[in-house]
Amino acid sequence: MKLSKIAQRAGTETAFEVLARAKELERRGKEIIHFEIGEPDFDTPQNIKIAGIKAITDNFTHYAPTQGIYELRESVADYISKTRRISVNPEEVIITPGGKDVIFSAALSLLDEGDEALYPNPGYPIYESAIRLTGATPVPIPLLEENDFAFDVNYFRKLITDRTKLIIINSPGNPTGGILSKEALEAISEVAIERDILVLSDEIYSRIIYDGEFFSIASLPGMQERTIILDGFSKTYAMTGWRLGYAVANRDIIEGLKKIAVNSFSCVATFVQMAGIEALTGPQDEVERMRKEYETRRNLIIEGLNKIPGFSTKVPRGAFYAFPNIKKTGMKSKELADYLMNEGGVATLSGTSFGAYGEGYLRFSYATSQEKIKEGLEKVRVAIEKIIK
Ligand SMILES: Cc1ncc(COP(=O)(O)O)c(C=O)c1O
């Protein structure tokens, strides 16, 4: 059987494949420390779980409008208005099964063959995949260590052509933990306005930041109408398995996203949406507790990684990923990730899972306990010392 050209063009998210391989090794009795999957190890806060259970018993088990339950869209509109200092109304919000869907639906509803879309590389792999499957051309914006994994604005300007339809940005970023400065965002916005380009701003890690305050490109003058904000509940509220996210954009874009939604998922599970209202409007102390714990873990893992021969790691400023440079080990990223998994019992991701510019790096997700981080680092050290002295 031959799959369609679209399916053939689609990429993947390696984290899920590596997780499956690690689970298989565990099933065969090997002990594995997990640094591969970008998912909080915390449980969803109790108040949110109770709201979800109550919603089921209150029979929020029917279809909901494709765009999402009005009260949840209202809560999202209030939250985004407050945190991004813009004015959003519920008609400018669509509720999606995870933030990931926003990337897919935005690509499908905005891009055509012949269009070009810029995306960060190394970056979340679904950007390149989603652009490619529409038939548009993905154009990587290299995020280089020497620029602290932020944009080289001059280089970025050179990538813009008459065909550029969309610029995807992600700050704080996966896999580097880098943050785009206000100056970089201003430079992007200047280009976007001048050349009439849309921006998809992936803000899924906006609440996991270690210094300074989060700043959205949508807050800059003239940008709200041309920005699609992607955010969600997976990372902030440890709700990965609930599948709940959203997009905020102008009404024309929302109509496009809605068209894709009604053709694919119809609506997000109604009781999940009810739990989302509690997440946004209920107490936020758990969010801060988790953020503080990630910060402690970040400091622990960076200190540990920098003691491993052949590794050097910049301090990430947000998200929960460390992205060590491993060039001095003399191994390629994929080769080293496989070696650490099979010989060291440590699951990490090759930097190349995030694009060609990830060669020379590994990604460690530190959304795992301090004990596991210490244990995992020790295993990495022992495995690396076997190959380099
Ligand atoms: C940068 C980025 N965007 C979006 C997502 C999607 O998250 P979800 O679909 O769980 O909301 C992820 C998940 O890893 C991510 O790292």
Side-chain angles (χ1 to χ4, degrees):
M1 195 203 64
K2 197 159 169 259
L3 292 178
S4 70
K5 290 199 177 68
I6 289 182
Q8 288 180 46
R9 281 198 298 262
T12 188
E13 189 173 351
T14 320
F16 286 98
E17 286 171 10
V18 175
L19 177 67
R21 250 175 50 221
K23 291 277 178 207
E24 177 55 25
L25 287 172
E26 282 176 329
R27 208 180 55 76
R28 289 198 244 135
K30 195 168 167 70
E31 210 183 294
I32 304 280
I33 304 283
H34 293 270
F35 288 121
E36 75 281 37
I37 196 101
E39 118 155 305
D41 59 323
F42 300 108
D43 291 326
T44 303
Q46 192 67 7
N47 61 312
I48 302 173
K49 288 196 282 198
I50 289 171
I53 294 164
K54 181 169 184 306
I56 293 178
T57 53
D58 289 348
N59 297 310
F60 284 93
T61 53
H62 301 270
Y63 287 131
T66 296
Q67 199 173 337
I69 294 177
Y70 186 83
E71 289 73 17
L72 177 56
R73 286 191 283 124
E74 201 170 40
S75 305
V76 169
D78 287 349
Y79 169 70
I80 294 293
S81 299
K82 199 168 83 209
T83 51
R84 275 62 166 186
R85 295 185 207 95
I86 53 180
S87 172
V88 175
N89 78 56
E91 295 311 313
E92 295 164 323
V93 177
I94 182 167
I95 308 299
T96 54
K100 189 185 227 174
D101 176 76
V102 176
I103 304 166
F104 180 74
S105 300
L108 273 188
S109 56
L110 297 171
L111 298 175
D112 281 312
E113 223 165 289
D115 290 336
E116 293 175 1
L118 273 56
Y119 71 100
N121 186 327
Y124 187 50
I126 300 307
Y127 306 141
E128 180 177 349
S129 173
I131 298 165
R132 199 179 289 287
L133 71 78
T134 66
T137 305
V139 179
I141 309 164
L143 300 186
L144 304 179
E145 188 178 357
E146 54 264 36
N147 301 330
D148 267 335
F149 297 115
F151 277 34
D152 175 335
V153 171
N154 291 326
Y155 188 83
F156 158 76
R157 282 204 185 93
K158 292 196 189 117
L159 298 174
I160 304 285
T161 73
D162 289 344
R163 295 175 160 204
T164 311
K165 178 94 186 272
L166 182 70
I167 301 166
I168 303 180
I169 59 174
N170 173 217
S171 176
N174 175 11
T176 67
I179 288 184
L180 294 176
S181 64
K182 194 163 172 216
E183 292 67 40
L185 295 175
E186 278 165 353
I188 298 165
S189 82
E190 230 171 71
V191 173
I193 292 170
E194 194 186 301
R195 307 290 291 262
D196 193 20
I197 300 169
L198 297 170
V199 173
L200 170 58
S201 179
D202 184 341
E203 305 182 356
I204 199 92
Y205 297 104
S206 57
R207 298 280 288 272
I208 307 176
I209 247 178
Y210 307 114
D211 47 1
E213 266 197 21
F214 174 73
F215 187 83
S216 169
I217 194 165
S219 310
L220 292 171
M223 283 309 290
Q224 183 181 350
E225 68 230 44
R226 59 179 63 255
T227 303
I228 304 149
I229 295 177
L230 175 167
D231 204 342
F233 299 75
S234 288
K235 319 288 176 178
T236 303
Y237 298 101
M239 288 177 73
T240 47
W242 296 71
R243 309 310 302 129
L244 188 60
Y246 53 85
V248 175
N250 75 43
R251 284 178 197 213
D252 293 339
I253 294 174
I254 294 290
E255 280 310 310
L257 299 177
K258 224 161 90 180
K259 267 196 157 168
I260 305 299
V262 80
N263 276 281
S264 56
F265 59 85
S266 295
C267 68
V268 171
T270 315
F271 49 88
V272 167
Q273 298 196 47
M274 295 306 286
I277 298 175
E278 173 62 23
L280 284 175
T281 58
Q284 302 293 304
D285 11 337
E286 282 295 292
V287 175
E288 179 53 14
R289 185 183 71 79
M290 293 190 273
R291 193 201 62 80
K292 278 211 175 104
E293 176 59 24
Y294 291 136
E295 187 167 8
T296 308
R297 295 169 180 185
R298 173 195 69 162
N299 297 341
L300 182 70
I301 198 164
I302 299 304
E303 199 193 327
L305 285 170
N306 279 330
K307 286 188 186 144
I308 293 171
F311 280 45
S312 76
T313 315
K314 282 243 154 95
V315 179
R317 297 170 58 208
F320 38 58
Y321 306 110
F323 202 58
N325 179 326
I326 51 89
K327 291 175 187 165
K328 291 210 171 115
T329 63
M331 284 171 98
K332 293 277 189 196
S333 299
K334 171 82 171 61
E335 190 190 0
L336 184 56
D338 287 344
Y339 170 74
L340 288 177
M341 170 95 104
N342 297 324
E343 301 299 322
V346 178
T348 62
L349 295 184
S350 161
T352 49
S353 300
F354 301 91
Y357 289 92
E359 183 55 83
Y361 299 86
L362 289 182
R363 191 194 80 171
F364 286 67
S365 162
Y366 53 84
T368 189
S369 70
Q370 296 185 37
E371 291 67 42
K372 292 277 182 210
I373 291 173
K374 285 182 200 152
E375 209 182 317
L377 285 171
E378 182 55 19
K379 282 176 177 256
V380 174
R381 194 185 59 74
V382 170
I384 293 291
E385 284 182 355
K386 281 188 197 155
I387 50 166
I388 52 172
K389 291 279 166 264

